[in-house]
Amino acid sequence: MEEPIVVALDVGSSKIVTLVARVENGTTMRILGVGIEPSHGIRNGNVIDINQASNAIARSIEKAERASGYEINSAIVSLAGSQVSSTNSKGIVGISGRVIDKEDVYRALDSAQAIAIPHNREIVHVIQRGFIIDGQEGIRQPVGMHGFRLEVETHIITASSSTIRNLRACVSQAGIEVSDFVLSPLAAGEAVLSETERDLGVAIVDLGGGTTDIAIYVNGDTWYTNVLQFGGNHVSSDIAQGLRLPLDVAEEVKLQHGYAVLDDIGEDESFNIVTFGSDQSTKIERRELVNIIEARVEEIIMMVEQEIKRSGYDVMLPAGIVLTGGGAEMPGIRKLVGRVTNLPVRIGKPENIVGLTDQISNPACATSVGLLQWALLMTETTQIHSSNSGQVPPHRGDSGSESKPSKKPEAVGFRAWLRNLLP
């Protein structure tokens, strides 16, 4: 079979990233095109100006098309923002003593979705946390087993319908079809977490520009997710106010001189910058800058710690915390997070990618790369369903450099339980 072409569109508060990749050997992603564009019209993960956002998305897509030589028709898109929430639910179906097949699993998952959801919200993900057959718990793969009653424990993620519609409108206005939405921390986890970390218990914390996204994995599956309305942009805003700088200058100062731990900064360290109301550069003590940064970042991490404790799974994280997002690139952040949470901490970077990787081999692009993995899983699942129903698998375009991948089919299913169902 031809190696599939997959497309990811990560719409963040700080930047928009479009990636075009070819899957090699079933697991390795060869990046064919990269389009990175500053984000406009997006704040805290939500659309505030459709025209500005769609124009920024279109520019990002155009860059990826030029680099890859492929015309992009559809993409899998990241989803964040304060309007995302989650809950746990259980689905139960009867089997009548026969062998359980994939359709029974789908029926159980459908049953789990039969919960009361406000009219202004819609389901984004239904992720299995484990199966129970006739009271026997801890079953990971029920297909092929005998039983009379199949239960599935699920983690259901919902989002505001208006948030999803506005983001879909932005992408559509840029000329692209949304094949599906994926919550940002789940995509990031796909790119940076190992199977061992997922099985032991780990929390991924995506420190973005407008939001901080959390996903907790236990026994190989997602058990908890949430999105906090604080991120790197709030740190820049504090710097702008504290040092009396324009916001864009404050962002540049943060990137060039920022550090997360005040105790590591010497008394004699300083830099020069032009502040408001001054025509000449002013000497700024670096400790003054880092004091502002540490206070805000520590506050964000304390909220993350409170959220992890509120989930009830704080004692089930021997693998600790994996940091991704642009905030994970700040020097000293690992030390600060470890000090606040008293958990093991590492910085997560995308793995199993080759090709045009110079711009994306960093924590800030973990979500973008993870979206490619989701796109591959969804494509494989669609092929399996098409084959089972006697339909021809969808064509993805020729392998030549001038070929144009066709629009991808509607995605079926989600990452955690797809891993169990795929042969």
Side-chain angles (χ1 to χ4, degrees):
M1 295 181 60
E2 295 178 356
E3 295 174 322
I5 300 294
V6 290
V7 181
L9 176 60
D10 181 13
V11 182
S13 300
S14 300
K15 67 182 183 307
I16 296 171
V17 181
T18 304
L19 299 181
V20 180
R22 180 170 59 240
V23 183
E24 298 181 348
N25 301 320
T27 57
T28 301
M29 294 286 180
R30 178 168 293 278
I31 307 300
L32 305 177
V34 178
I36 301 179
E37 183 72 17
S39 182
H40 298 285
I42 306 289
R43 181 181 299 165
N44 297 343
N46 298 312
V47 177
I48 60 172
D49 189 315
I50 286 183
N51 291 330
Q52 284 190 355
S54 63
N55 289 337
I57 291 171
R59 290 192 294 269
S60 173
I61 292 170
E62 183 181 359
K63 289 180 180 178
E65 287 181 329
R66 287 202 307 265
S68 67
Y70 280 75
E71 178 183 317
I72 299 174
N73 296 311
S74 66
I76 189 166
V77 181
S78 65
L79 179 67
S82 58
Q83 301 301 314
V84 175
S85 63
S86 63
T87 186
N88 296 323
S89 178
K90 180 179 291 187
I92 304 174
V93 294
I95 306 300
S96 303
R98 59 178 175 80
V99 175
I100 298 172
D101 58 24
K102 293 179 182 178
E103 292 303 321
D104 295 319
V105 175
Y106 297 142
R107 289 195 299 117
L109 288 166
D110 287 340
S111 175
Q113 297 181 55
I115 59 175
I117 299 176
H119 70 280
N120 61 340
R121 302 191 68 81
E122 58 185 85
I123 293 176
V124 181
H125 295 297
V126 179
I127 303 173
Q128 66 90 5
R129 293 173 45 181
F131 293 93
I132 303 172
I133 299 178
D134 296 344
Q136 179 183 347
E137 300 181 354
I139 295 175
R140 297 294 301 277
Q141 174 55 283
V143 176
M145 301 179 70
H146 290 264
F148 289 88
R149 190 174 79 162
L150 174 65
E151 301 177 50
V152 59
E153 296 179 341
T154 64
H155 182 67
I156 297 180
I157 300 173
T158 65
S160 164
S161 298
S162 60
T163 297
I164 293 177
R165 290 171 184 170
N166 289 335
L167 184 53
R168 189 185 297 274
C170 289
V171 178
S172 298
Q173 192 167 314
I176 301 299
E177 178 185 344
V178 178
S179 60
D180 215 329
F181 290 105
V182 175
L183 190 66
S184 293
L186 299 185
E190 189 63 37
V192 304
L193 295 182
S194 67
E195 291 296 331
T196 300
E197 288 173 325
R198 290 191 186 97
D199 290 336
L200 287 175
V202 67
I204 186 164
V205 178
D206 191 339
L207 300 170
T211 62
T212 295
D213 309 328
I214 306 168
I216 296 177
Y217 294 78
V218 179
N219 294 331
D221 292 307
T222 309
W223 283 36
Y224 185 81
T225 53
N226 202 3
V227 177
L228 304 179
Q229 298 185 62
F230 295 92
N233 293 343
H234 295 82
V235 178
S236 300
S237 178
D238 287 354
I239 295 172
Q241 295 181 40
L243 300 183
R244 296 183 295 278
L245 301 174
L247 191 57
D248 58 339
V249 176
E251 176 70 19
E252 189 65 26
V253 167
K254 181 183 71 173
L255 296 176
Q256 291 186 4
H257 306 286
Y259 201 87
V261 180
L262 181 62
D263 292 343
D264 292 349
I265 305 301
E267 297 284 351
D268 58 343
E269 296 186 48
S270 63
F271 58 92
N272 294 321
I273 198 72
V274 177
T275 62
F276 274 125
S278 176
D279 297 329
Q280 298 180 344
S281 61
T282 302
K283 182 179 179 180
I284 302 293
E285 299 295 332
R286 194 182 181 202
R287 286 181 62 87
E288 183 180 359
L289 167 68
V290 175
N291 185 48
I292 296 172
I293 293 174
E294 184 186 54
R296 173 63 83 173
V297 174
E298 187 173 37
E299 180 186 14
I300 294 173
I301 300 306
M302 288 178 66
M303 288 190 292
V304 170
E305 182 190 33
Q306 291 172 3
E307 197 63 34
I308 291 175
K309 289 182 177 180
R310 193 169 71 88
S311 73
Y313 306 124
D314 54 306
V315 297
M316 304 174 68
L317 303 177
I321 293 175
V322 177
L323 299 176
T324 62
E329 297 181 319
M330 175 173 288
I333 188 69
R334 179 179 177 183
K335 181 178 180 179
L336 179 60
V337 174
R339 188 181 74 192
V340 172
T341 64
N342 198 29
L343 288 171
V345 180
R346 76 172 180 88
I347 307 299
K349 298 180 181 180
E351 299 178 353
N352 297 323
I353 54 174
V354 296
L356 304 177
T357 62
D358 293 346
Q359 295 177 278
I360 61 174
S361 296
N362 55 68
C365 290
T367 295
S368 310
V369 175
L371 288 171
L372 295 175
Q373 299 284 353
W374 276 79
L376 172 62
L377 283 168
M378 291 176 174
T379 301
E380 288 176 345
T381 308
T382 304
Q383 284 185 315
I384 291 171
H385 278 258
S386 299
S387 176
N388 290 342
S389 61
Q391 299 175 5
V392 179
H395 179 63
R396 294 188 191 80
D398 301 322
S399 59
S401 61
E402 297 182 357
S403 302
K404 299 179 180 180
S406 61
K407 291 185 178 180
K408 293 179 177 59
E410 182 180 356
V412 180
F414 299 100
R415 196 268 175 208
W417 57 271
L418 286 178
R419 193 168 63 249
N420 292 333
L421 297 181
L422 291 174

